[in-house]
Amino acid sequence: MKLYENRFPWHLDWNLLRSFIVIVEEGSITAAANALNQTQPTVSGALKRLEDTLGEELILRNAHSFELTKPGQVLYRMVCPIFDTVTELPSALKQANEKVSGHVIICLASHVTSPHLDDALARFADLAPEATFTVSVLESSEVIKRIEQNRASIGVCLLNEATPNISITPMFTEYFGMYCGPLHPLFGRTDLSIDDLAESESVSFQTELNGQPLFSVMQLRNAAKMKSNPRAVSSNLTEIKRLIKCNVGIGALPVHVAATDVSNGELWQLPPYEALPEVDIYMLNNPKRHLNSAEQLLINMLDEVFAPTDGKTIRYL
């Protein structure tokens, strides 16, 4: 059957799909109506017509809950790439000229700090002055999801397992040490051993769970016999540093990221100082994405920068 011989796309009102995406991402009919500059009954009616067309209930909703059904989850997963493809059309059609142009969407985890990445972005910005950017800081799981859904050009994050249908490039390895802030009684002491951390309050990243990318950091905290339940949890490195500096608890940070704060007297590294947990950072992109010239250039540059030397990736000690 040829594409135009399938009658379903001709009977479907594609605007209903747009409304559905906004409803899902806004989390309510009311919020979606505000985002679309439409009335609530109009948006609610659009959802009802889409459900009638598909013959499936897509969202379970009442005064206290809003939840996608399994058909709703499948539909959302499938229509997002459709709209991303349509979004890319103007940029793709401009590729007739030879200038590097287009919009680059970068999603990365909060603790990604790499002078090699910064240098590559600086050189790219100089080579492609017409390119524009969107940069979002997300949890690693959300970064992976955006790449799977073809909603971003490049993802930079942690991985705890292979992800099918995604191009994965190792970027660098970072090492996590334990730190306290100026208000902590261990701050500034050089006579410490790991035993001095026993029964201390801690703060942790949300991915310090069994089977998660930062599980080795949790093992370090357990080896120090700190209190089993962290006093505070966050997915954002900046907030973890804030919590440490405010003496909410001892926390783990990438050593190369904490170095400036240590030299400024805002953080103090605690034992152990050797055999620290190693965490790998990866670059992700979707091979099915139709890349504009800016996206293609940046991916090529990053592939070159982070290509293993003598079989070894970059390590930040």
Side-chain angles (χ1 to χ4, degrees):
M1 179 181 294
K2 297 178 181 178
L3 288 176
Y4 59 82
E5 292 178 334
N6 188 322
R7 305 313 303 170
F8 175 74
W10 297 94
H11 292 296
L12 176 65
D13 183 347
W14 290 71
N15 286 323
L16 300 180
L17 297 178
R18 182 194 65 171
S19 298
F20 175 71
I21 288 178
V22 177
I23 292 169
V24 173
E25 297 193 346
E26 292 295 328
S28 74
I29 298 294
T30 301
N34 291 333
L36 292 167
N37 196 27
Q38 297 177 352
T39 65
Q40 185 173 336
T42 298
V43 176
S44 181
L47 176 60
K48 180 64 167 60
R49 290 199 305 276
L50 181 60
E51 289 178 328
D52 290 344
T53 300
L54 298 174
E56 299 284 354
E57 187 175 24
L58 301 174
I59 300 176
L60 299 175
R61 58 199 185 280
N62 54 45
H64 305 290
S65 67
F66 182 93
E67 182 180 358
L68 283 175
T69 64
K70 287 186 177 180
Q73 293 171 13
V74 171
L75 180 64
Y76 178 69
R77 187 169 63 246
M78 294 184 71
V79 298
C80 282
I82 295 173
F83 273 81
D84 283 326
T85 298
V86 173
T87 301
E88 293 169 13
L89 284 176
S91 177
L93 295 176
K94 290 181 180 179
Q95 296 306 303
N97 67 54
E98 296 181 357
K99 293 181 179 179
V100 175
S101 62
H103 192 70
V104 180
I105 303 173
I106 303 174
C107 297
L108 68 168
S110 70
H111 61 81
V112 173
T113 301
S114 165
H116 293 81
L117 174 60
D118 295 347
D119 178 65
L121 286 173
R123 290 190 293 111
F124 170 77
D126 184 56
L127 290 171
E130 296 188 12
T132 56
F133 299 83
T134 295
V135 180
S136 299
V137 178
L138 307 164
E139 293 184 28
S140 289
S141 59
E142 182 62 24
V143 173
I144 296 168
K145 183 186 298 184
R146 295 282 180 96
I147 296 297
E148 287 178 330
Q149 295 176 347
N150 198 18
R151 303 183 65 192
S153 317
I154 298 169
V156 181
C157 64
L158 298 85
L159 284 176
N160 60 333
E161 60 184 13
T163 304
N165 304 319
I166 285 182
S167 176
I168 300 173
T169 302
M171 295 182 72
F172 59 88
T173 300
E174 57 187 12
Y175 296 80
F176 276 71
M178 303 300 292
Y179 295 87
C180 69
L183 300 176
H184 198 279
L186 299 182
F187 187 88
R189 290 182 54 181
T190 58
D191 59 338
L192 301 173
S193 71
I194 194 171
D195 295 334
D196 292 302
L197 277 63
E199 292 304 310
S200 295
E201 296 282 3
S202 67
V203 299
S204 77
F205 288 95
Q206 290 180 340
T207 48
E208 293 180 30
L209 300 173
N210 190 14
Q212 294 296 309
L214 292 182
F215 177 58
S216 59
V217 175
M218 185 184 76
Q219 291 177 308
L220 176 61
R221 190 170 62 248
N222 291 341
K225 298 181 180 179
M226 300 171 69
K227 290 186 178 180
S228 57
N229 294 320
R231 190 176 180 186
V233 176
S234 176
S235 62
N236 188 286
L237 180 138
T238 301
E239 296 309 315
I240 289 292
K241 283 207 293 186
R242 187 202 306 274
L243 292 167
I244 296 172
K245 292 176 182 180
C246 292
N247 199 29
V248 176
I250 293 171
L253 294 168
V255 174
H256 74 290
V257 174
T260 300
D261 296 280
V262 171
S263 64
N264 291 339
E266 298 180 279
L267 291 174
W268 185 258
Q269 188 172 0
L270 302 170
Y273 305 111
E274 298 179 350
L276 297 176
E278 300 181 18
V279 176
D280 296 321
I281 305 297
Y282 298 88
M283 180 178 74
L284 314 179
N285 63 279
N286 193 322
K288 294 182 179 180
R289 186 176 183 83
H290 179 78
L291 299 175
N292 60 49
S293 57
E295 292 173 317
Q296 186 66 69
L297 175 61
L298 181 55
I299 289 173
N300 291 344
M301 291 177 66
L302 293 176
D303 280 337
E304 182 178 348
V305 168
F306 291 101
T309 302
D310 298 328
K312 298 179 180 179
T313 56
I314 296 170
R315 292 177 177 267
Y316 294 132
L317 302 176

